[in-house]
Amino acid sequence: RKSSGGESLQPMLVKLAEWHVLDLQDLSFGFLDPRNDKLVPKKEHHRWTYGWGFSYMFTKSAWELKPFPPVGWSEDIDWADGLMALGVSVSLLRLPPSSSKFQSGPGGLCAHSSHPTSLTGGEYVECAVLGEGPIGAVRTGYRVTIPVEFQSLLPILRAIISSPKFKALSRAAIKVAPEEQFKIGLSMKHRLLGRWDRGKDASPEEWDRRRGKGQEKGQRPRNTIAFAPRHRTMPLALTS
């Protein structure tokens, strides 16, 4: 693209700092701010903030200055880091407010989908149940109502997930990678965690308040699920 004066635009990259996520299987929408989501390890904040190429808008001159590396994985963050190393302007943008006065929260501009046939790993992190059980993948972000800006696209999404081709591809993908069917998506995470879905820490006092009858102080409550990311020592969230 060229400017109104006919000159080529300078190299630059504009990047969403937050976005919506979509579990295509059940059309669950969520909102993710990777810099403030407690499930995202702090050491990964830079990669999660400046990666995810679907959220990029950049000039052709930026691509000409620094072509994407010839790799099949994580080419986006390496490219963004390369631009910043060359002094190219990289700006982070937040989502605008919702266009509906009846809906709170950011408006819908971009929703990154996840499904068994996705080439991307999606915005999942590895967690342990109660900090000691098997490692599983849990969706980051928290569930939200469908942003009004996306509602006109729902018929298209429903047609996709109900199509025989999509169902066949999903079944084939699960056969190759059975762990796909055990991922905890937005809806399941919300049902398990309730208000803790929004990434608040579970304090020791909260554990004591929710402990089961007959349990001693400091013990984990009965019928409780807590997600403890492997980089954390305390559970992140719980439900009884």
Side-chain angles (χ1 to χ4, degrees):
R1 297 291 303 274
K2 296 182 180 295
S3 64
S4 58
E7 299 176 352
S8 296
L9 296 175
Q10 292 186 356
M12 63 182 68
L13 165 64
V14 175
K15 166 78 173 65
L16 289 178
E18 56 190 18
W19 56 89
H20 285 92
V21 291
L22 166 63
D23 288 347
L24 202 54
Q25 303 95 299
D26 59 3
L27 297 183
S28 295
F29 282 84
F31 172 76
L32 174 63
D33 177 356
R35 293 181 294 180
N36 292 298
D37 193 290
K38 295 296 182 63
L39 280 177
V40 179
K42 287 186 178 181
K43 66 179 182 180
E44 294 293 328
H45 280 187
H46 175 81
R47 295 184 65 84
W48 279 58
T49 301
Y50 289 95
W52 307 105
F54 65 85
S55 61
Y56 288 178
M57 292 174 284
F58 54 90
T59 58
K60 181 180 178 181
S61 57
W63 171 75
E64 291 174 332
L65 177 66
K66 180 69 178 179
F68 282 94
V71 296
W73 188 262
S74 294
E75 74 285 348
D76 39 22
I77 181 60
D78 292 339
W79 181 70
D81 281 342
L83 287 180
M84 288 187 281
L86 294 173
V88 174
S89 173
V90 177
S91 301
L92 295 175
L93 298 182
R94 292 200 172 277
L95 292 174
S98 173
S99 59
S100 172
K101 64 180 181 179
F102 301 106
Q103 196 168 58
S104 61
L109 182 63
C110 174
H112 190 213
S113 66
S114 174
H115 54 87
T117 62
S118 294
L119 293 179
T120 175
E123 296 90 336
Y124 290 84
V125 293
E126 291 184 336
C127 295
V129 177
L130 289 175
E132 58 189 30
I135 299 297
V138 179
R139 197 74 147 115
T140 55
Y142 57 86
R143 198 181 69 170
V144 297
T145 56
I146 300 174
V148 65
E149 294 82 5
F150 295 145
Q151 289 180 1
S152 63
L153 300 175
L154 285 181
I156 298 175
L157 294 174
R158 292 193 179 102
I160 291 173
I161 64 177
S162 63
S163 68
K165 184 175 182 180
F166 178 81
K167 292 179 179 179
L169 288 173
S170 296
R171 288 193 297 268
I174 290 174
K175 284 184 179 180
V176 175
E179 66 274 8
E180 285 290 329
Q181 62 186 318
F182 299 115
K183 285 183 173 179
I184 296 178
L186 293 163
S187 292
M188 177 62 74
K189 180 184 172 187
H190 182 77
R191 287 197 296 270
L192 292 173
L193 305 183
R195 67 187 181 88
W196 294 99
D197 183 17
R198 292 179 176 250
K200 297 187 183 232
D201 285 305
S203 66
E205 292 76 17
E206 183 70 15
W207 282 113
D208 290 334
R209 188 178 69 81
R210 288 172 172 247
R211 70 183 185 275
K213 184 178 180 181
Q215 286 184 294
E216 295 181 3
K217 186 174 182 180
Q219 288 185 330
R220 294 189 182 98
R222 290 193 179 99
N223 302 321
T224 297
I225 293 178
F227 296 131
R230 292 196 296 179
H231 67 286
R232 298 174 66 89
T233 57
M234 287 295 293
L236 173 89
L238 60 91
T239 185
S240 50

